[in-house]
Structures are given as structure tokens and as C-alpha cells.
């Protein structure tokens, strides 16, 4: 039986090397966009609309009476009301509402995947790790794990999440991709305590968020399956995919 | 004391993100360009002239009566006489001769670093690991470990070499670079037997070269310090740097 291929794109700078248009693309922005997307949907948000600019976020927020949220460089972007922390979106706040979200890296990468004609787009993070893996295994489609990275620089946490997915799904895919092997090896070293690993390596995003007092966010964003839904992009928005 | 910075560029696609013009750039193309460059110089080649096209290689070879060599996709390029294997350049053949070399990834990356105004360019590989590390430690300059990768896709062997360098020099540099941390972690897993690690992960270049019957080349290219010179780029050619 022919297994589908799986590749990992460690930064948006190399996404063009992969056959996006025939693939399921998993957008990965662990700290914190895709963790927050899973959390908002898990807590009952009507949908999440990812947009690639602050001005578009503000405009759309007004038009549809949505919650405007997003960050630039890890802080709430000027003109927006909410940020990029999963803790801002508990059920009692977000249920039934529409979140309009823009982030430094994640939403930009999603737009790139769209522009390249991705067959399907979903978002992945530790809080919805199992949902992503189960979907990939069931669907048996060529898959690209697309790391959002940090301003095109490869980062630790997105690579680790790619590795976590690969560890779980690899038997079901044909993987001829050194980036995937690197990610899985890295995750193998970190898996017992991903937070401590990030800390011990002084990973750049760990450093940045700790500087903002956000240890709680980091710990949450490395906790598997606490918001185990499958955010799926369709008609301009992310919704929970039921299948 | 302020330590100089060290960054790792895992693929030429991200080289532009780093401050090349103020840095010592180490070009890394383990399988096999930079291993072969070290070997040819160690065995007495007068110099190695890296060129970025086969036609330029042929033209220059005629003009200076040099040895024209190079590969495309792992095989000797059409029109050239020699390939990219370190075993083609023993002392009895290469001593006193000029090698004009073009390769798929390594020479192209060197040209990129030149175009971006790199302060210094040298080439690194396991056969000259110690020479590279000693130089970086002594010089105390901002450093970029620039992996040639494979057609812009991150590869295992160049990442491993970057990790080997980082393991040895890290105390002397300020490293705020996830790619460097990833490379060092990977090397930590592989270090006891890099060849076996490449094999166990079915690394793409391992697979490609084994398919050509080149296990001997791979084993050589992972052997530290067997051609322990420092190839240094100046005035259009690579020469052994004596310092």
C-alpha cells in the first residue's frame, strides 16, 4: 500500500519548496496563535477569523461585531482590544462570539498556504495534538507540517510540535524529509518535559514570553489535549471540523 | 566581557535574516563539497576556486589549466572531468594543482555569502572540524554557521556539523538562536556514531549517496580531523589559512 507523504516546513521561507496545493497543511504556531485558536473554539467561540493585518482586524471586527484580537512582537497590537493569550478566552467570555485574530507569524503563514492553494488547512498545537494526529491518520492525504517560526527564523516550539505529531503518525506516512527527522529527534529529547527543555535551551520565545511574565501561558501551550478540537479553515474562517 | 554572537542558518533560504556583512561565515556542505575542499587543500592543492556554474568551471579550467570538477545532483556534471568525492583528490594527484569546483549547493551558498558582503568566509566539514573551531574561538568574531542544505531544504548532515561546532565553541559565544540549539541537540543524539544515526534516520543524502555506492565517501565525510586545515576564501579562491 502506498503511504501518503509527510514533510515539515521549518519556516515560511521554505514553504514554496513543498507541494502545498495537493496537501493537507497543518499551521503550527505553538506560542501562541494556534494554541489560542484551539482554546477559543474549544470554549465555544462561533468561529475564528484569521486576518493578516491589524487594520483589517479592526475593520472586520466593526463590521461583524467580533472580538478583535492579536499581537505584534508578543504584545497586544495597538488598536486591538484583546491579545494572543489562551487565558483571555474562557468559555464565559468567548462562547457564541466570533474572534477576529491577527498574529505576527501564524496568520501570515495561513495566508501563504491559502495563496499557494492548499487543499486543506487546519491548525495544530499541543492543546489539540490528538485531534490533529487522528485526523491525519484517518484522512491519509499528503501532509505538510508548516511551522510559523519567528519572523522566518526556525524556532524551537513549532519544531517540537511537528516532532510530536511525527512521533504519533509516522507509521502511516512515507517520510523522506530530513526536517521531519530532525523535528522528531528533537522531540524525542524534549518529550519528558517540554517546558523544562525550552527553559534549559533558553529558547528564544521562552525567553521573550517569560520576560512578559507569561510562564503560565507557556506551560498551558505545552499541555497536550486540553482543548482537543480540530480547527479547520473553510470559507475564510476556522471552525471545529466534525468528521 | 561581551561574547560575540553565533547563529546557524539552516538553509540558504534564511541566510538573508542574519547580519552576514559583519560576520565570519562558515560554509557547510558536508556531503561532499566542503569535505572535498578540505581534503584537496590538505593534500597539497595549490588552491580551490569555487564557481557557481558548470560553464564557468569549464571556461576557467581551460584558462588556468586547472582540474575541472563538480557535481549536479550527486553525480559528475556533464562536461567536467572530476567529481565531488574526496577520494578523487589524493596527494599524488592534486598536489600543486588548482581545483576549479562547482557543486549543487555549497558553491552557490558561498557566492550568496560573498554577494551579501561577508566579512570572512571559510569552509567547514568534519574532516576539518578542529581547525574551524579553534579559529572561531581565537578570532572572537560574530559568526554564522551557514548550511548549504539540499536545494534549500534543510538537511541532516549540515545541521549535525553545525551542532558539532556549537558543542565545542559555545562557551565562547552568545547564542540566542533556536536553530543553533536544535543543531546542538541533534548532534548530541548522533555524536556517538554519526554514520549510524544518518542511516537509522534514512537521511535523504545518506539514501542518495548509498544509492550511488558511496558509503565510503559518507564514512570519510563524517570522520573528524582527517584533513584538518582551514580553507579560507580570499581574492576568488580558497587557500589554507595560516594564522
Amino acid at each position: 500500500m502506498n503511504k501518503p507523504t509527510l514533510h515539515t516546513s521549518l519556516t515560511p521561507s521554505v514553504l514554496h519548496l513543498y507541494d502545498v496545493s495537493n496537501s493537507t497543511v497543518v499551521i503550527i504556531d505553538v506560542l501562541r496563535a494556534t494554541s489560542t485558536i484551539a482554546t477559543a473554539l474549544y470554549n465555544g467561540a462561533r468561529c475564528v477569523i484569521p486576518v493578516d493585518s491589524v487594520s483589517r482586524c479592526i475593520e472586520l471586527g466593526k463590521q461583524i461585531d467580533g472580538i478583535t484580537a492579536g499581537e505584534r512582537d508578543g504584545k497586544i497590537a495597538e488598536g486591538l482590544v484583546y491579545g494572543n493569550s489562551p487565558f483571555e478566552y474562557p468559555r464565559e467570555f468567548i462562547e457564541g462570539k466570533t474572534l477576529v485574530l491577527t498574529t505576527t507569524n501564524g496568520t501570515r503563514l495561513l495566508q501563504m498556504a491559502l495563496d499557494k492553494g492548499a487543499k486543506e488547512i487546519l491548525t495544530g498545537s499541543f492543546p489539540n495534538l490528538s485531534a490533529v494526529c487522528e485526523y491525519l491518520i484517518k484522512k491519509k492525504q499528503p501532509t505538510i507540517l508548516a511551522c510559523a517560526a519567528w519572523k522566518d527564523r526556525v524556532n524551537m516550539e513549532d519544531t517540537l510540535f511537528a516532532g510530536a505529531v511525527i512521533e504519533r503518525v509516522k507509521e502511516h506516512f512515507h517520510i523522506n524529509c530530513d526536517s521531519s527527522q530532525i523535528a522528531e529527534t528533537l522531540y524525542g529529547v524534549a518529550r519528558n518535559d517540554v517546558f523544562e527543555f525550552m527553559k534549559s535551551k533558553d529558547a528564544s520565545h521562552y525567553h521573550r514570553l517569560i520576560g512578559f511574565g507569561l510562564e503560565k501561558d507557556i506551560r498551558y501551550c505545552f499541555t497536550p489535549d486540553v482543548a482537543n478540537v480540530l480547527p479547520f479553515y473553510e470559507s475564510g474562517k476556522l471552525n471545529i471540523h466534525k468528521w
Side-chain angles (χ1 to χ4, degrees), chain A residues 12 51-52 103-113 148 151-152:
Chain A
V51 294
D52 58 3
T103 64
T104 312
N105 304 290
T107 50
R108 193 183 127 235
L109 175 61
L110 194 151
Q111 191 60 51
M112 278 177 69
K151 297 181 181 178
D152 287 330

Side-chain angles (χ1 to χ4, degrees), chain A residues 31-32 85-87 193-196 198-199 205-223:
Chain A
L31 293 173
R32 294 168 289 167
S85 168
F87 291 108
D193 192 336
V194 179
F195 180 87
E196 278 303 317
M198 291 283 289
K199 187 177 176 180
H205 217 147
Y206 171 87
H207 198 84
R208 193 178 303 118
L209 292 177
I210 286 288
F212 299 149
L214 294 169
E215 176 174 333
K216 194 177 155 205
D217 280 46
I218 307 175
R219 289 193 181 276
Y220 175 86
C221 290
F222 286 123
T223 309

